[in-house]
Amino acid sequence: MRRPLIIGNWKMNTTLADATVLTTSIKNNVSDLDIDVVLCPPFVWLYPMAEILEKAPKNIHLGAQNMWFAEKGAMTGEVSPSMLKGLVKYVILGHSERRSHFQEKDDLINDKIHAAFENNLTPIVCVGEHEKMTSEKSKKGPGRPPHLEVKADIYRQLKSALEGISRENAEKLIVAYEPVWAIGTGNAATGAYAAEVIGKLRGVIAKKYGQELSERVRILYGGSVDSDNIKEFIYQPEIDGVLVGGVSLKAKEFIKICREAGGKE
Ligand code: PGA
């Protein structure tokens, strides 16, 4: 049984005052849930948020939105894994905004994943296609339901992320399936679409590490998730939670998403 996980990616938003109010109200409203909640504020608010969460229930954690892979050096503006170690438990890597605005490539993302594990950080690796895929008629004969021709891009991103990753670490990794066309557009994938792709991503993990291990890896959906459509995703057995962007800045809505995932809404 995979434990549900809800992640809030605040991106480049919030003042310190906003961040404080948001973290405090989430902390006060999700502690009774049997799920994990990860808040990913901007780097500069990590320390003050860690202080707020110091005595928080064990199911609420902090995550960083990115990091560099080297430990230290002449990398103006970057943050290293050892700086995050002890402050956060999770780190988002390979988000589509990093891939597109900062030209992050699969190799670099793989280096970052290795660095995260070396520093006891759990990577949340984002993969996703740019254009919506269409359902094709099954070639396996009449009567079979149509299926998505999953784009090679997504497989390539995941395979590259797993390059050189041990079995022990592979099962700790978190994958976030985030179709780029759904991010920030208000146009979320359907639960069925997301579940189908996630099932295939689990297949990639199974091929490399075996079925049993693949069934322990948490794979989330992300892209325009809100408190109205959360039910689409959370009741799909393949989907282990969601990565929320825009709506994670609204305490009431984000709490509703968490409570729905925890079966208490
Ligand atoms: P969104 O962002 O929920 O605003 O679509 C998701 C993400 O970028 O992780």
Side-chain angles (χ1 to χ4, degrees):
M1 191 52 185
R2 298 181 294 263
R3 190 173 155 86
L5 171 60
I6 305 293
I7 302 174
N9 174 13
W10 299 1
K11 308 192 181 183
M12 198 175 67
N13 294 298
T14 66
T15 61
L16 177 56
D18 297 334
T20 303
V21 172
L22 198 50
T23 298
T24 308
S25 68
I26 294 166
K27 178 181 92 166
N28 292 341
N29 286 283
V30 303
S31 61
D32 57 325
L33 304 176
D34 202 13
I35 64 168
D36 289 319
V37 177
V38 178
L39 306 181
C40 303
F43 282 130
V44 285
W45 308 148
L46 281 174
Y47 190 78
M49 295 312 110
E51 286 193 314
I52 295 173
L53 294 177
E54 208 185 338
K55 292 198 180 89
K58 289 202 172 28
N59 66 335
I60 310 174
H61 312 276
L62 278 180
Q65 297 174 16
N66 178 39
M67 66 174 198
W68 191 244
F69 64 88
E71 287 307 308
K72 59 180 181 176
M75 291 300 297
T76 303
E78 284 294 341
V79 170
S80 82
S82 55
M83 292 169 185
L84 294 175
K85 195 175 170 174
L87 189 58
V88 303
K89 194 165 174 226
Y90 297 86
V91 57
I92 299 175
L93 296 174
H95 190 281
S96 71
E97 286 152 17
R98 299 295 316 172
R99 293 180 193 260
S100 65
H101 303 321
F102 303 94
Q103 286 77 46
E104 292 198 5
K105 299 278 182 284
D106 289 336
D107 284 359
L108 173 69
I109 294 161
N110 178 257
D111 285 341
K112 292 183 177 194
I113 295 169
H114 280 274
F117 281 127
E118 280 155 23
N119 286 277
N120 277 327
L121 300 167
T122 301
I124 301 158
V125 182
C126 304
V127 300
E129 78 283 8
H130 279 264
E131 277 167 40
K132 197 170 189 168
M133 299 176 285
T134 48
S135 273
E136 307 278 330
K137 274 209 185 96
S138 176
K139 294 185 187 92
K140 290 184 182 151
R144 300 272 195 139
H147 64 280
L148 289 171
E149 279 304 334
V150 173
K151 290 248 168 35
D153 251 20
I154 317 180
Y155 291 136
R156 192 207 65 233
Q157 290 169 359
L158 181 60
K159 281 184 192 159
S160 170
L162 297 172
E163 201 61 54
I165 302 297
S166 67
R167 295 180 60 80
E168 192 194 346
N169 285 336
E171 70 178 286
K172 291 186 213 145
L173 185 96
I174 290 157
V175 178
Y177 166 55
E178 298 211 300
V180 181
W181 53 265
I183 297 178
T185 58
N187 181 22
T190 62
Y193 181 106
E196 188 173 346
V197 181
I198 288 175
K200 290 185 177 165
L201 293 177
R202 202 175 296 288
V204 171
I205 300 171
K207 206 162 168 199
K208 182 161 175 157
Y209 300 99
Q211 185 73 25
E212 210 184 287
L213 188 147
S214 79
E215 277 166 19
R216 289 199 290 272
V217 177
R218 289 192 283 185
I219 311 185
L220 318 180
Y221 167 76
S224 295
V225 174
D226 59 31
S227 58
D228 290 328
N229 65 22
I230 180 66
K231 289 193 189 78
E232 272 276 323
F233 307 105
I234 214 67
Y235 298 117
Q236 294 275 353
E238 267 301 351
I239 306 180
D240 303 317
V242 289
L243 174 45
V244 188
V247 167
S248 70
L249 297 167
K250 300 176 182 165
K252 226 172 133 188
E253 276 211 57
F254 187 73
I255 290 164
K256 212 168 159 214
I257 290 171
C258 294
R259 299 199 66 79
E260 192 74 57
K264 297 224 173 150
E265 184 59 25

